[in-house]
PDB file of all heavy atoms in Angstrom:
ATOM      1  N   ALA A   1      88.013  80.234-105.117  1.00 93.00           N
ATOM      2  CA  ALA A   1      87.307  81.211-104.297  1.00 93.00           C
ATOM      3  C   ALA A   1      85.832  80.824-104.172  1.00 93.00           C
ATOM      4  O   ALA A   1      85.284  80.112-105.033  1.00 93.00           O
ATOM      5  CB  ALA A   1      87.422  82.602-104.918  1.00 93.00           C
ATOM      6  N   PRO A   2      85.160  81.271-103.112  1.00 92.00           N
ATOM      7  CA  PRO A   2      83.725  81.002-102.960  1.00 92.00           C
ATOM      8  C   PRO A   2      82.944  81.484-104.179  1.00 92.00           C
ATOM      9  O   PRO A   2      83.222  82.538-104.741  1.00 92.00           O
ATOM     10  CB  PRO A   2      83.356  81.811-101.704  1.00 92.00           C
ATOM     11  CG  PRO A   2      84.618  81.871-100.918  1.00 92.00           C
ATOM     12  CD  PRO A   2      85.706  81.994-101.949  1.00 92.00           C
ATOM     13  N   GLY A   3      81.955  80.693-104.585  1.00 92.00           N
ATOM     14  CA  GLY A   3      81.143  81.034-105.746  1.00 92.00           C
ATOM     15  C   GLY A   3      81.677  80.486-107.050  1.00 92.00           C
ATOM     16  O   GLY A   3      81.009  80.566-108.074  1.00 92.00           O
ATOM     17  N   GLN A   4      82.888  79.928-107.033  1.00 95.00           N
ATOM     18  CA  GLN A   4      83.495  79.372-108.245  1.00 95.00           C
ATOM     19  C   GLN A   4      83.132  77.895-108.404  1.00 95.00           C
ATOM     20  O   GLN A   4      82.817  77.204-107.433  1.00 95.00           O
ATOM     21  CB  GLN A   4      85.012  79.507-108.184  1.00 95.00           C
ATOM     22  CG  GLN A   4      85.507  80.942-108.219  1.00 95.00           C
ATOM     23  CD  GLN A   4      85.300  81.582-109.579  1.00 95.00           C
ATOM     24  OE1 GLN A   4      85.947  81.223-110.558  1.00 95.00           O
ATOM     25  NE2 GLN A   4      84.387  82.545-109.647  1.00 95.00           N
ATOM     26  N   THR A   5      83.197  77.431-109.645  1.00 96.00           N
ATOM     27  CA  THR A   5      83.022  76.013-109.943  1.00 96.00           C
ATOM     28  C   THR A   5      84.280  75.515-110.640  1.00 96.00           C
ATOM     29  O   THR A   5      84.696  76.077-111.653  1.00 96.00           O
ATOM     30  CB  THR A   5      81.805  75.770-110.853  1.00 96.00           C
ATOM     31  OG1 THR A   5      80.615  76.186-110.176  1.00 96.00           O
ATOM     32  CG2 THR A   5      81.683  74.294-111.205  1.00 96.00           C
ATOM     33  N   VAL A   6      84.894  74.485-110.088  1.00 96.00           N
ATOM     34  CA  VAL A   6      86.110  73.922-110.668  1.00 96.00           C
ATOM     35  C   VAL A   6      85.855  72.464-111.041  1.00 96.00           C
ATOM     36  O   VAL A   6      85.026  71.789-110.425  1.00 96.00           O
ATOM     37  CB  VAL A   6      87.308  74.017-109.696  1.00 96.00           C
ATOM     38  CG1 VAL A   6      87.588  75.470-109.334  1.00 96.00           C
ATOM     39  CG2 VAL A   6      87.068  73.203-108.426  1.00 96.00           C
ATOM     40  N   ALA A   7      86.559  72.005-112.056  1.00 94.00           N
ATOM     41  CA  ALA A   7      86.421  70.619-112.506  1.00 94.00           C
ATOM     42  C   ALA A   7      87.786  69.970-112.585  1.00 94.00           C
ATOM     43  O   ALA A   7      88.764  70.620-112.964  1.00 94.00           O
ATOM     44  CB  ALA A   7      85.740  70.570-113.867  1.00 94.00           C
ATOM     45  N   PHE A   8      87.854  68.701-112.238  1.00 93.00           N
ATOM     46  CA  PHE A   8      89.076  67.920-112.373  1.00 93.00           C
ATOM     47  C   PHE A   8      88.907  66.978-113.562  1.00 93.00           C
ATOM     48  O   PHE A   8      88.009  66.133-113.581  1.00 93.00           O
ATOM     49  CB  PHE A   8      89.356  67.124-111.097  1.00 93.00           C
ATOM     50  CG  PHE A   8      89.780  67.986-109.936  1.00 93.00           C
ATOM     51  CD1 PHE A   8      88.891  68.337-108.939  1.00 93.00           C
ATOM     52  CD2 PHE A   8      91.085  68.455-109.848  1.00 93.00           C
ATOM     53  CE1 PHE A   8      89.275  69.142-107.880  1.00 93.00           C
ATOM     54  CE2 PHE A   8      91.484  69.269-108.795  1.00 93.00           C
ATOM     55  CZ  PHE A   8      90.575  69.609-107.809  1.00 93.00           C
ATOM     56  N   LEU A   9      89.762  67.150-114.579  1.00 92.00           N
ATOM     57  CA  LEU A   9      89.712  66.340-115.787  1.00 92.00           C
ATOM     58  C   LEU A   9      90.995  65.539-115.915  1.00 92.00           C
ATOM     59  O   LEU A   9      92.069  66.004-115.531  1.00 92.00           O
ATOM     60  CB  LEU A   9      89.542  67.231-117.026  1.00 92.00           C
ATOM     61  CG  LEU A   9      88.372  68.212-117.042  1.00 92.00           C
ATOM     62  CD1 LEU A   9      88.435  69.073-118.301  1.00 92.00           C
ATOM     63  CD2 LEU A   9      87.044  67.476-116.973  1.00 92.00           C
ATOM     64  N   GLY A  10      90.897  64.352-116.489  1.00 89.00           N
ATOM     65  CA  GLY A  10      92.086  63.532-116.695  1.00 89.00           C
ATOM     66  C   GLY A  10      91.706  62.067-116.793  1.00 89.00           C
ATOM     67  O   GLY A  10      90.536  61.697-116.714  1.00 89.00           O
ATOM     68  N   THR A  11      92.702  61.232-116.963  1.00 86.00           N
ATOM     69  CA  THR A  11      92.460  59.799-117.063  1.00 86.00           C
ATOM     70  C   THR A  11      92.309  59.197-115.669  1.00 86.00           C
ATOM     71  O   THR A  11      92.475  59.870-114.649  1.00 86.00           O
ATOM     72  CB  THR A  11      93.614  59.108-117.808  1.00 86.00           C
ATOM     73  OG1 THR A  11      94.853  59.428-117.147  1.00 86.00           O
ATOM     74  CG2 THR A  11      93.694  59.570-119.250  1.00 86.00           C
ATOM     75  N   SER A  12      91.995  57.921-115.610  1.00 82.00           N
ATOM     76  CA  SER A  12      91.814  57.240-114.330  1.00 82.00           C
ATOM     77  C   SER A  12      93.138  57.086-113.597  1.00 82.00           C
ATOM     78  O   SER A  12      94.182  56.871-114.214  1.00 82.00           O
ATOM     79  CB  SER A  12      91.198  55.854-114.552  1.00 82.00           C
ATOM     80  OG  SER A  12      89.943  55.966-115.172  1.00 82.00           O
ATOM     81  N   GLY A  13      93.074  57.216-112.286  1.00 80.00           N
ATOM     82  CA  GLY A  13      94.244  56.925-111.460  1.00 80.00           C
ATOM     83  C   GLY A  13      95.256  58.031-111.323  1.00 80.00           C
ATOM     84  O   GLY A  13      96.325  57.811-110.746  1.00 80.00           O
ATOM     85  N   VAL A  14      94.951  59.247-111.816  1.00 85.00           N
ATOM     86  CA  VAL A  14      95.924  60.341-111.725  1.00 85.00           C
ATOM     87  C   VAL A  14      95.765  61.151-110.444  1.00 85.00           C
ATOM     88  O   VAL A  14      96.565  62.044-110.166  1.00 85.00           O
ATOM     89  CB  VAL A  14      95.845  61.281-112.951  1.00 85.00           C
ATOM     90  CG1 VAL A  14      96.238  60.537-114.213  1.00 85.00           C
ATOM     91  CG2 VAL A  14      94.453  61.884-113.080  1.00 85.00           C
ATOM     92  N   GLY A  15      94.711  60.852-109.685  1.00 83.00           N
ATOM     93  CA  GLY A  15      94.537  61.532-108.400  1.00 83.00           C
ATOM     94  C   GLY A  15      93.433  62.562-108.362  1.00 83.00           C
ATOM     95  O   GLY A  15      93.405  63.402-107.460  1.00 83.00           O
ATOM     96  N   LYS A  16      92.474  62.523-109.312  1.00 87.00           N
ATOM     97  CA  LYS A  16      91.396  63.515-109.333  1.00 87.00           C
ATOM     98  C   LYS A  16      90.550  63.441-108.061  1.00 87.00           C
ATOM     99  O   LYS A  16      90.270  64.458-107.415  1.00 87.00           O
ATOM    100  CB  LYS A  16      90.514  63.317-110.565  1.00 87.00           C
ATOM    101  CG  LYS A  16      91.250  63.448-111.898  1.00 87.00           C
ATOM    102  CD  LYS A  16      90.310  63.471-113.074  1.00 87.00           C
ATOM    103  CE  LYS A  16      89.437  62.239-113.173  1.00 87.00           C
ATOM    104  NZ  LYS A  16      90.238  61.013-113.387  1.00 87.00           N
ATOM    105  N   SER A  17      90.121  62.227-107.702  1.00 85.00           N
ATOM    106  CA  SER A  17      89.282  62.072-106.515  1.00 85.00           C
ATOM    107  C   SER A  17      90.053  62.406-105.241  1.00 85.00           C
ATOM    108  O   SER A  17      89.482  62.947-104.287  1.00 85.00           O
ATOM    109  CB  SER A  17      88.735  60.643-106.448  1.00 85.00           C
ATOM    110  OG  SER A  17      87.872  60.383-107.543  1.00 85.00           O
ATOM    111  N   THR A  18      91.330  62.106-105.219  1.00 88.00           N
ATOM    112  CA  THR A  18      92.157  62.456-104.065  1.00 88.00           C
ATOM    113  C   THR A  18      92.216  63.972-103.901  1.00 88.00           C
ATOM    114  O   THR A  18      92.188  64.502-102.780  1.00 88.00           O
ATOM    115  CB  THR A  18      93.580  61.885-104.223  1.00 88.00           C
ATOM    116  OG1 THR A  18      93.498  60.460-104.356  1.00 88.00           O
ATOM    117  CG2 THR A  18      94.438  62.220-103.014  1.00 88.00           C
ATOM    118  N   LEU A  19      92.287  64.697-105.013  1.00 92.00           N
ATOM    119  CA  LEU A  19      92.311  66.151-104.968  1.00 92.00           C
ATOM    120  C   LEU A  19      90.972  66.708-104.482  1.00 92.00           C
ATOM    121  O   LEU A  19      90.936  67.686-103.730  1.00 92.00           O
ATOM    122  CB  LEU A  19      92.644  66.718-106.348  1.00 92.00           C
ATOM    123  CG  LEU A  19      94.103  66.577-106.781  1.00 92.00           C
ATOM    124  CD1 LEU A  19      94.255  66.899-108.266  1.00 92.00           C
ATOM    125  CD2 LEU A  19      94.997  67.491-105.962  1.00 92.00           C
ATOM    126  N   VAL A  20      89.878  66.089-104.918  1.00 89.00           N
ATOM    127  CA  VAL A  20      88.560  66.505-104.430  1.00 89.00           C
ATOM    128  C   VAL A  20      88.515  66.387-102.912  1.00 89.00           C
ATOM    129  O   VAL A  20      88.100  67.315-102.200  1.00 89.00           O
ATOM    130  CB  VAL A  20      87.440  65.649-105.063  1.00 89.00           C
ATOM    131  CG1 VAL A  20      86.099  65.935-104.391  1.00 89.00           C
ATOM    132  CG2 VAL A  20      87.330  65.917-106.559  1.00 89.00           C
ATOM    133  N   ASN A  21      88.962  65.249-102.398  1.00 89.00           N
ATOM    134  CA  ASN A  21      88.961  65.032-100.954  1.00 89.00           C
ATOM    135  C   ASN A  21      89.881  66.014-100.233  1.00 89.00           C
ATOM    136  O   ASN A  21      89.587  66.465 -99.127  1.00 89.00           O
ATOM    137  CB  ASN A  21      89.371  63.597-100.638  1.00 89.00           C
ATOM    138  CG  ASN A  21      88.346  62.581-101.111  1.00 89.00           C
ATOM    139  OD1 ASN A  21      87.168  62.900-101.249  1.00 89.00           O
ATOM    140  ND2 ASN A  21      88.784  61.363-101.369  1.00 89.00           N
ATOM    141  N   ALA A  22      91.005  66.347-100.880  1.00 89.00           N
ATOM    142  CA  ALA A  22      91.957  67.270-100.253  1.00 89.00           C
ATOM    143  C   ALA A  22      91.344  68.658-100.097  1.00 89.00           C
ATOM    144  O   ALA A  22      91.556  69.329 -99.081  1.00 89.00           O
ATOM    145  CB  ALA A  22      93.229  67.349-101.094  1.00 89.00           C
ATOM    146  N   LEU A  23      90.577  69.113-101.085  1.00 90.00           N
ATOM    147  CA  LEU A  23      89.952  70.426-100.992  1.00 90.00           C
ATOM    148  C   LEU A  23      88.836  70.448 -99.958  1.00 90.00           C
ATOM    149  O   LEU A  23      88.548  71.486 -99.367  1.00 90.00           O
ATOM    150  CB  LEU A  23      89.410  70.851-102.357  1.00 90.00           C
ATOM    151  CG  LEU A  23      90.453  71.132-103.445  1.00 90.00           C
ATOM    152  CD1 LEU A  23      89.780  71.625-104.722  1.00 90.00           C
ATOM    153  CD2 LEU A  23      91.481  72.156-102.976  1.00 90.00           C
ATOM    154  N   PHE A  24      88.209  69.297 -99.733  1.00 86.00           N
ATOM    155  CA  PHE A  24      87.170  69.206 -98.719  1.00 86.00           C
ATOM    156  C   PHE A  24      87.742  68.980 -97.324  1.00 86.00           C
ATOM    157  O   PHE A  24      87.133  69.351 -96.327  1.00 86.00           O
ATOM    158  CB  PHE A  24      86.211  68.057 -99.035  1.00 86.00           C
ATOM    159  CG  PHE A  24      85.057  68.454 -99.898  1.00 86.00           C
ATOM    160  CD1 PHE A  24      85.141  68.362-101.267  1.00 86.00           C
ATOM    161  CD2 PHE A  24      83.872  68.910 -99.349  1.00 86.00           C
ATOM    162  CE1 PHE A  24      84.086  68.729-102.084  1.00 86.00           C
ATOM    163  CE2 PHE A  24      82.810  69.276-100.147  1.00 86.00           C
ATOM    164  CZ  PHE A  24      82.909  69.182-101.520  1.00 86.00           C
ATOM    165  N   GLY A  25      88.922  68.341 -97.276  1.00 77.00           N
ATOM    166  CA  GLY A  25      89.453  67.960 -95.977  1.00 77.00           C
ATOM    167  C   GLY A  25      88.744  66.755 -95.413  1.00 77.00           C
ATOM    168  O   GLY A  25      88.819  66.467 -94.211  1.00 77.00           O
ATOM    169  N   SER A  26      88.030  66.023 -96.269  1.00 62.00           N
ATOM    170  CA  SER A  26      87.308  64.820 -95.841  1.00 62.00           C
ATOM    171  C   SER A  26      87.084  63.920 -97.049  1.00 62.00           C
ATOM    172  O   SER A  26      87.307  64.323 -98.189  1.00 62.00           O
ATOM    173  CB  SER A  26      85.966  65.194 -95.205  1.00 62.00           C
ATOM    174  OG  SER A  26      85.133  65.837 -96.150  1.00 62.00           O
ATOM    175  N   GLU A  27      86.630  62.693 -96.794  1.00 62.00           N
ATOM    176  CA  GLU A  27      86.418  61.733 -97.867  1.00 62.00           C
ATOM    177  C   GLU A  27      85.073  61.989 -98.548  1.00 62.00           C
ATOM    178  O   GLU A  27      84.024  61.604 -98.059  1.00 62.00           O
ATOM    179  CB  GLU A  27      86.461  60.298 -97.314  1.00 62.00           C
ATOM    180  CG  GLU A  27      87.815  59.872 -96.792  1.00 62.00           C
ATOM    181  CD  GLU A  27      88.859  59.788 -97.895  1.00 62.00           C
ATOM    182  OE1 GLU A  27      88.527  59.322 -99.001  1.00 62.00           O
ATOM    183  OE2 GLU A  27      90.008  60.186 -97.646  1.00 62.00           O
ATOM    184  N   GLN A  28      85.102  62.664 -99.658  1.00 62.00           N
ATOM    185  CA  GLN A  28      83.903  62.924-100.454  1.00 62.00           C
ATOM    186  C   GLN A  28      83.813  61.999-101.659  1.00 62.00           C
ATOM    187  O   GLN A  28      82.736  61.644-102.105  1.00 62.00           O
ATOM    188  CB  GLN A  28      83.902  64.372-100.937  1.00 62.00           C
ATOM    189  CG  GLN A  28      83.835  65.401 -99.829  1.00 62.00           C
ATOM    190  CD  GLN A  28      82.487  65.448 -99.159  1.00 62.00           C
ATOM    191  OE1 GLN A  28      81.449  65.298 -99.808  1.00 62.00           O
ATOM    192  NE2 GLN A  28      82.482  65.660 -97.858  1.00 62.00           N
ATOM    193  N   ALA A  29      84.967  61.632-102.189  1.00 56.00           N
ATOM    194  CA  ALA A  29      85.010  60.809-103.393  1.00 56.00           C
ATOM    195  C   ALA A  29      85.858  59.572-103.135  1.00 56.00           C
ATOM    196  O   ALA A  29      86.865  59.630-102.428  1.00 56.00           O
ATOM    197  CB  ALA A  29      85.586  61.603-104.564  1.00 56.00           C
ATOM    198  N   GLU A  30      85.437  58.455-103.708  1.00 56.00           N
ATOM    199  CA  GLU A  30      86.166  57.204-103.525  1.00 56.00           C
ATOM    200  C   GLU A  30      87.483  57.249-104.289  1.00 56.00           C
ATOM    201  O   GLU A  30      87.557  57.757-105.413  1.00 56.00           O
ATOM    202  CB  GLU A  30      85.319  56.036-104.023  1.00 56.00           C
ATOM    203  CG  GLU A  30      85.973  54.677-103.811  1.00 56.00           C
ATOM    204  CD  GLU A  30      85.129  53.543-104.354  1.00 56.00           C
ATOM    205  OE1 GLU A  30      83.997  53.799-104.801  1.00 56.00           O
ATOM    206  OE2 GLU A  30      85.611  52.398-104.344  1.00 56.00           O
TER     207      GLU A  30
END
């Protein structure tokens, strides 16, 4: 929800950056 802060934790290659981009609908993270 607006005003919230969320974090993606995990090892490399599990899709954290892909999830960041999915929530933005654009390429924000490599």
Side-chain angles (χ1 to χ4, degrees):
Q4 294 290 291
T5 297
V6 300
F8 289 101
L9 306 176
T11 55
S12 300
V14 295
K16 300 189 302 297
S17 296
T18 301
L19 286 168
V20 171
N21 293 335
L23 293 183
F24 271 91
S26 63
E27 294 294 320
Q28 297 289 323
E30 183 182 355

